[in-house]
Amino acid sequence: MKRIITGIKPTGTPHVGNYLGAIKPALKLAAEEEHQSMYFIADLHALNSIHNRSKLKSLTYEVAAAWLALGLDPERSLFYRQSDIKELPELHWILSSVTGKGLMNRAHAYKAQVEQNNREGRDRDDGVNMGLFNYPILMAADILLFNGSEVPVGKDNRQHLEMAKDIGESFNRLYGSTFDLPTPVFAEGSEIIPGLDGRKMSKSYGNTIPLFTEEKSLHKLVKRIVTDSLPPEAPKDREGSPLFTLFREFATPIETEQMAHAFQKGIGYGEIKEELFLVMNRVIAGPRVKYRHLLENTDEIDKCLKDGGSKVRKEAAEHMDRIRERVGL
Ligand code: TYM
């Protein structure tokens, strides 16, 4: 049976990019019967940027509530906190020991920080902790420990998946075939989802549309999405238009076709934004109510994650025993 595995970091309120890049495609795959799915809250990964205990806790609930509100069925899938799987830091260490530093030097998130430091005349590694530097190795452990064969992620994670493959391959070469190598699954036709300012929607850029923000605030945020200043009657380019990209993700195929036609003929940005708000809110309204309910009943969330964690731990321990034996521990 194929196995799907994916995680989300509790580093900010779940946003439209997380939904379209990971949650929606992951839940769609899970609906196909031949898959077994594993979804986790990547709280160990979050530690490299969240250094506040109560913030980490509340963001963990937000991410978990988002999955559940959007339809994750904890009876049919394994849903857990990364930090409940004690084997992961151990595997992370073993994998670190077969991973060249040069590979990590090339990781996008690390490189971006170094480049920013250079531009701003700071020390090369200012603001880089080892959690950030080693991020791709822990991510490889998340996937390889469970032989996760398909990993639904946004395209911003392409490099992480390549690294997980490289790291798994290095281990297999040294110790004999141990890990299945993962395949990334990118949502059909989807690009990196743009944020309010047109750059990648990201918690670290502060340009996100929180998925479950109230209706009024959703309306306001959609109106803030940047556009060029073409007049209403001018034909508009759909390629690379954040408005069109988002519209296509929430609308039906017929609505998308009509919108594509309107872009070609000429339509005002104000009007597009109203349409976009309507299709987004149509999808989000039901789950929003469920999300609020879950956040008021966090014991339900705790129970789900605890049950999921104990199911997963058994398998983790078995795999880890084999890995330890392979390396001679
Ligand atoms: P995180 O929390 O940053 O993102 C969670 C998921 O949301 C996707 N995503 C996007 N997709 C499209 N457009 C965007 N603007 C956008 N922003 C976020 C991400 O690609 C991701 O799929 N590294 C992972 C967390 C992780 C993980 C794993 C994933 C840790 N271990 C193992 C899969 C398997 C991440 O980026 O989290």
Side-chain angles (χ1 to χ4, degrees):
M1 194 186 333
K2 279 188 187 162
R3 177 168 260 185
I4 309 168
I5 186 162
T6 199
I8 296 185
K9 281 178 296 182
T11 47
T13 295
H15 59 75
V16 168
N18 300 142
Y19 170 59
L20 299 176
I23 302 179
K24 186 178 159 200
L27 293 176
K28 193 168 155 231
L29 272 180
E32 298 165 15
E33 255 173 43
E34 73 271 26
H35 285 99
Q36 186 195 33
S37 27
M38 304 181 76
Y39 307 118
F40 64 92
I41 316 294
D43 51 359
L44 293 176
H45 274 111
L47 284 178
N48 78 47
S49 61
I50 304 283
H51 298 138
N52 175 306
R53 179 174 179 276
S54 60
K55 197 167 166 199
L56 184 64
K57 278 190 182 287
S58 67
L59 289 173
T60 296
Y61 285 134
E62 288 192 39
V63 173
W67 276 111
L68 292 165
L70 290 161
L72 181 154
D73 177 354
E75 298 296 321
R76 293 191 56 211
S77 34
L78 296 164
F79 185 43
Y80 57 100
R81 282 189 178 92
Q82 185 186 31
S83 59
D84 279 339
I85 315 303
K86 310 286 190 242
E87 288 75 10
L88 285 172
E90 183 181 357
L91 181 57
H92 167 262
W93 181 256
I94 293 176
L95 296 177
S96 298
S97 309
V98 300
T99 302
K101 175 171 178 286
L103 186 68
M104 294 302 100
N105 286 343
R106 292 194 286 281
H108 292 322
Y110 170 64
K111 262 174 66 180
Q113 183 66 48
V114 170
E115 279 159 18
Q116 190 182 339
N117 286 343
N118 286 342
R119 269 197 313 276
E120 295 172 8
R122 284 197 298 262
D123 230 40
R124 173 194 156 84
D125 282 330
D126 240 28
V128 177
N129 57 41
M130 291 308 291
L132 172 69
F133 190 68
N134 286 331
Y135 186 109
I137 308 181
L138 181 57
M139 181 155 163
D142 292 330
I143 299 167
L144 297 173
L145 182 59
F146 299 107
N147 284 328
S149 48
E150 298 196 5
V151 188
V153 280
K155 286 193 177 149
D156 58 327
N157 268 276
R158 185 189 290 277
Q159 190 198 38
H160 286 143
L161 263 290
E162 282 163 8
M163 290 183 163
K165 254 188 181 167
D166 288 348
I167 294 171
E169 249 163 12
S170 301
F171 187 99
N172 286 350
R173 246 196 325 273
L174 276 166
Y175 294 111
S177 175
T178 307
F179 297 122
D180 292 346
L181 302 178
T183 318
V185 180
F186 300 118
E188 215 174 294
S190 106
E191 292 313 312
I192 289 179
I193 302 300
L196 297 175
D197 56 2
R199 292 187 294 170
K200 170 193 151 180
M201 187 179 293
S202 165
K203 300 165 217 180
S204 47
Y205 293 151
N207 64 355
T208 65
I209 302 181
L211 188 56
F212 296 115
T213 192
E214 291 306 334
E215 198 168 312
K216 262 195 186 152
S217 131
L218 178 65
H219 196 208
K220 266 198 196 147
L221 285 169
V222 168
K223 286 209 235 165
R224 274 181 46 200
I225 298 174
V226 288
T227 61
D228 54 36
S229 47
L230 285 173
E233 63 284 3
K236 306 198 165 56
D237 196 3
R238 299 196 299 274
E239 282 313 306
S241 156
L243 292 178
F244 190 77
T245 304
L246 288 169
F247 188 86
R248 186 179 53 196
E249 295 284 350
F250 286 94
T252 63
I254 293 175
E255 288 166 339
T256 305
E257 215 175 285
Q258 286 165 346
M259 185 55 84
H261 186 67
F263 263 67
Q264 218 165 17
K265 235 179 76 204
I267 174 174
Y269 285 122
E271 201 179 325
I272 303 172
K273 287 178 175 178
E274 286 306 315
E275 297 287 328
L276 174 60
F277 162 71
L278 290 174
V279 292
M280 284 178 84
N281 198 48
R282 184 176 67 197
V283 172
I284 293 165
R288 189 194 282 128
V289 175
K290 212 166 162 205
Y291 176 78
R292 297 272 160 233
H293 168 84
L294 283 160
L295 287 183
E296 281 160 18
N297 297 276
T298 49
D299 44 338
E300 281 181 38
I301 300 179
D302 280 327
K303 185 176 177 317
C304 273
L305 292 173
K306 195 166 160 249
D307 290 352
S310 46
K311 287 185 210 154
V312 172
R313 264 202 306 273
K314 193 168 167 293
E315 181 181 336
E318 284 168 14
H319 283 192
M320 204 57 223
D321 281 348
R322 270 207 306 279
I323 297 164
R324 290 171 128 256
E325 199 182 316
R326 278 279 152 107
V327 299
L329 288 173

